[in-house]
Amino acid sequence: MVSTSKIKSVDFYRKIPRDLTEASLSGAGLSIIAALSMMFLFGMELNNYLTVSTTTSVVVDKSSDAEFLRIDFNMSFPALSCEFASVDVSDVLGTNRLNITKTVRKHSIDKHLRPTGSEFHSGSTTRELKHDEEDDEEYGEGSVSLNGHSFDRVSHQYPILVVNYFAPWCYWSNRLKPSWEKAANIMRERYDREADGRILVAKVDCTEEVDLCRRNHIQGYPSIRIFRKGSDVRDDHGHHDHESYYGDRDTDSLVKMMEDLVAPIKLESQMITSDNSSTKLTTGMKRPAPVTGGCRIEGFVRVKKVPGNLVISARSAAHSFDASQMNMSHVISGFSFGKIITPKVMSDIKKLLPYLGQSHDRLNGNSYITNPRDSTENVTIEHFLQVVKTEVMTRSYKLVEEYEYTAHSSLVHSLRIPVAKFHYEPSPMQVLITENSKSFSHFITNVCAIIGGVFTVAGILDSILHNTMRMVKKVELGKNF
């Protein structure tokens, strides 16, 4: 049998002699300090356990969105009509897409950036229009020239007013002129202005009647507008809503268009009948004209992950533009790359890393306004964007992706029609941020180490303090003898 003394020798929790457990003032103070130290260190350890730590690395971009990049935008152009506003994309690989409409929406806005109606459907302005063959055939001046005063008078006098807004220097205006005058002569013979009075074919020289053309938001030449007396006249200042004609420009097409407009109008009353179905021209030939001179463009495009350009410009295959009158000022409400990040996700990202997400929409809320009257003409506004992708891996293994970019903008005096151009350059590298999880066992181990360590240090200090006091007492006793 094992002796009792041997068993007692392995007792690690032996009772301390009574004379060593007597309370003392120094021991009480040391105990309080030890308890406060343990509480403080425990709080520090708990805060460290709950605090998110991350590691950042730069790697080659191998993201899940493959070789394409989405660009979302929402921009307002106070001086660019939706009639000709075009969104174009090009890149260094030779991709060149013009007038993207499938994923882009346009709304007419006023000078205060407020929408003035429903979505504007401009249709295609890039198809070639049919014109009369160029010849030396003589033609008379059949249309009536209008100015600011006569326009208001005849627009209230004739049920149908068809106006050609032109510029003498414009190639397309000169191509239209023969067929327009021929069509005007034909309509004057068929519908005499005095005896019939149902239609008037007119023209306006926009180089002379600048205010009249600006009032009707003419930005491309020639522009054919159709005004109707009566139902299209608003109460405020007699403003006319009107339509734009985008059909062929040969004599036969113009005459047919005018005949279709006159057909439903009764000669006796000169009033438009209630049934307007007969006035509808071929789809795409006639659409509502913009009631204001501005346009808000919003939507998205998908581009390849190579350097390229997103260009907003005035574009048409059958119109000319006066570069000195073009103003590409714009206000950016939204411009971002990649998938749209919801506010909740962005809030979670900023909780994880406060500095992240600050450059996700750097251009948002910025205004780029120029005034051609006060500065040199033909001002193109360019933005140079360098794009870097950031991926965040959280502890729940949910991948969050966002694109951040730097932006530098400048005004450039162009020799051509001014545009708003966004040069983007995606980086071949990406930033990978990984959230490091901390194990609970490690937290418990550190807590135990804190408790044991404080007890040990407190015991050592107590022992030193106790022995010091004993030595002091012995010295004092030795002096007394």
Side-chain angles (χ1 to χ4, degrees), residues 92-227:
V92 296
L93 297 181
T95 301
N96 193 17
R97 292 186 290 159
L98 304 178
N99 195 24
I100 299 173
T101 58
K102 186 176 181 180
T103 58
V104 176
R105 300 179 302 277
K106 293 184 281 188
H107 299 266
S108 295
I109 58 174
D110 59 19
K111 61 181 181 180
H112 302 294
L113 309 184
R114 295 175 301 202
T116 57
S118 58
E119 182 178 349
F120 185 87
H121 298 279
S122 60
S124 175
T125 57
T126 57
R127 75 180 186 91
E128 294 185 5
L129 301 181
K130 182 180 179 182
H131 292 76
D132 284 346
E133 295 295 332
E134 296 185 53
D135 51 36
D136 296 328
E137 181 182 349
E138 293 292 333
Y139 56 88
E141 296 288 333
S143 60
V144 178
S145 296
L146 298 179
N147 55 34
H149 299 290
S150 60
F151 178 87
D152 292 333
R153 175 175 53 82
V154 300
S155 63
H156 290 81
Q157 179 180 352
Y158 292 90
I160 297 295
L161 173 64
V162 186
V163 184
N164 169 27
Y165 295 88
F166 71 97
W169 52 263
C170 170
Y171 167 78
W172 294 109
S173 294
N174 293 326
R175 284 291 307 273
L176 172 64
K177 184 177 181 180
S179 55
W180 184 260
E181 299 299 342
K182 291 176 187 177
N185 281 320
I186 294 173
M187 295 305 293
R188 186 172 62 176
E189 293 175 0
R190 295 180 184 179
Y191 307 94
D192 183 78
R193 293 199 294 267
E194 300 297 334
D196 190 295
R198 282 182 286 176
I199 186 171
L200 178 67
V201 181
K203 59 187 175 183
V204 174
D205 185 349
C206 287
T207 60
E208 296 182 357
E209 302 297 329
V210 177
D211 292 336
L212 177 58
C213 293
R214 185 180 294 115
R215 189 174 67 183
N216 289 296
H217 315 297
I218 305 300
Q219 295 185 0
Y221 310 109
S223 290
I224 301 175
R225 298 290 169 85
I226 302 166
F227 297 85

Side-chain angles (χ1 to χ4, degrees), residues 354-365:
Y355 60 85
L356 200 62
Q358 296 179 358
S359 300
H360 174 73
D361 48 8
R362 179 174 289 273
L363 288 177
N364 288 19

Side-chain angles (χ1 to χ4, degrees), residues 135-432:
D135 51 36
D136 296 328
E137 181 182 349
E138 293 292 333
Y139 56 88
E141 296 288 333
S143 60
V144 178
S145 296
L146 298 179
N147 55 34
H149 299 290
S150 60
F151 178 87
D152 292 333
R153 175 175 53 82
V154 300
S155 63
H156 290 81
Q157 179 180 352
Y158 292 90
I160 297 295
L161 173 64
V162 186
V163 184
N164 169 27
Y165 295 88
F166 71 97
W169 52 263
C170 170
Y171 167 78
W172 294 109
S173 294
N174 293 326
R175 284 291 307 273
L176 172 64
K177 184 177 181 180
S179 55
W180 184 260
E181 299 299 342
K182 291 176 187 177
N185 281 320
I186 294 173
M187 295 305 293
R188 186 172 62 176
E189 293 175 0
R190 295 180 184 179
Y191 307 94
D192 183 78
R193 293 199 294 267
E194 300 297 334
D196 190 295
R198 282 182 286 176
I199 186 171
L200 178 67
V201 181
K203 59 187 175 183
V204 174
D205 185 349
C206 287
T207 60
E208 296 182 357
E209 302 297 329
V210 177
D211 292 336
L212 177 58
C213 293
R214 185 180 294 115
R215 189 174 67 183
N216 289 296
H217 315 297
I218 305 300
Q219 295 185 0
Y221 310 109
S223 290
I224 301 175
R225 298 290 169 85
I226 302 166
F227 297 85
R228 302 174 189 271
K229 175 186 175 182
S231 61
D232 67 318
V233 180
R234 294 181 177 177
D235 293 335
D236 52 331
H237 310 294
H239 173 73
H240 282 259
D241 286 335
H242 50 281
E243 296 169 308
S244 292
Y245 173 74
Y246 298 98
D248 291 326
R249 296 174 180 172
D250 60 294
T251 303
D252 294 338
S253 298
L254 293 173
V255 171
K256 183 179 184 306
M257 177 266 292
M258 297 176 190
E259 289 278 10
D260 291 340
L261 294 171
V262 176
I265 301 176
K266 296 179 181 180
L267 178 60
E268 295 82 4
S269 61
Q270 295 186 355
M271 292 296 293
I272 300 177
T273 61
S274 59
D275 182 11
N276 290 329
S277 60
S278 61
T279 66
K280 295 180 179 179
L281 305 181
T282 305
T283 302
M285 292 176 58
K286 181 169 66 69
R287 295 186 296 274
V291 296
T292 53
C295 188
R296 186 178 77 238
I297 304 174
E298 59 181 353
F300 70 92
V301 294
R302 286 175 59 85
V303 299
K304 293 183 178 179
K305 280 189 175 180
V306 294
N309 301 304
L310 173 67
V311 181
I312 311 296
S313 63
R315 181 177 298 279
S316 175
H319 294 80
S320 299
F321 303 97
D322 186 354
S324 64
Q325 298 297 321
M326 299 300 295
N327 187 343
M328 298 306 296
S329 299
H330 55 273
V331 177
I332 302 177
S333 300
F335 198 98
S336 61
F337 294 86
K339 299 177 182 178
I340 297 178
I341 300 178
T342 63
K344 182 180 183 305
V345 174
M346 182 58 70
S347 177
D348 293 340
I349 291 178
K350 289 187 176 181
K351 287 180 181 178
L352 180 66
L353 297 171
Y355 60 85
L356 200 62
Q358 296 179 358
S359 300
H360 174 73
D361 48 8
R362 179 174 289 273
L363 288 177
N364 288 19
N366 291 350
S367 301
Y368 302 90
I369 306 298
T370 63
N371 190 347
R373 298 179 182 179
D374 300 334
S375 60
T376 307
E377 300 171 351
N378 302 18
V379 177
T380 287
I381 303 176
E382 295 185 332
H383 307 278
F384 297 87
L385 314 177
Q386 293 182 313
V387 189
V388 179
K389 182 170 185 177
T390 301
E391 290 189 4
V392 180
M393 183 71 75
T394 64
R395 284 185 292 184
S396 59
Y397 298 98
K398 179 182 179 182
L399 189 64
V400 179
E401 301 177 355
E402 72 144 0
Y403 285 85
E404 297 192 313
Y405 61 91
T406 60
H408 303 278
S409 304
S410 64
L411 304 181
V412 180
H413 299 292
S414 173
L415 298 178
R416 300 182 179 181
I417 301 296
V419 301
K421 183 179 293 186
F422 297 81
H423 304 272
Y424 57 88
E425 185 175 350
S427 172
M429 311 300 288
Q430 73 172 57
V431 178
L432 180 61

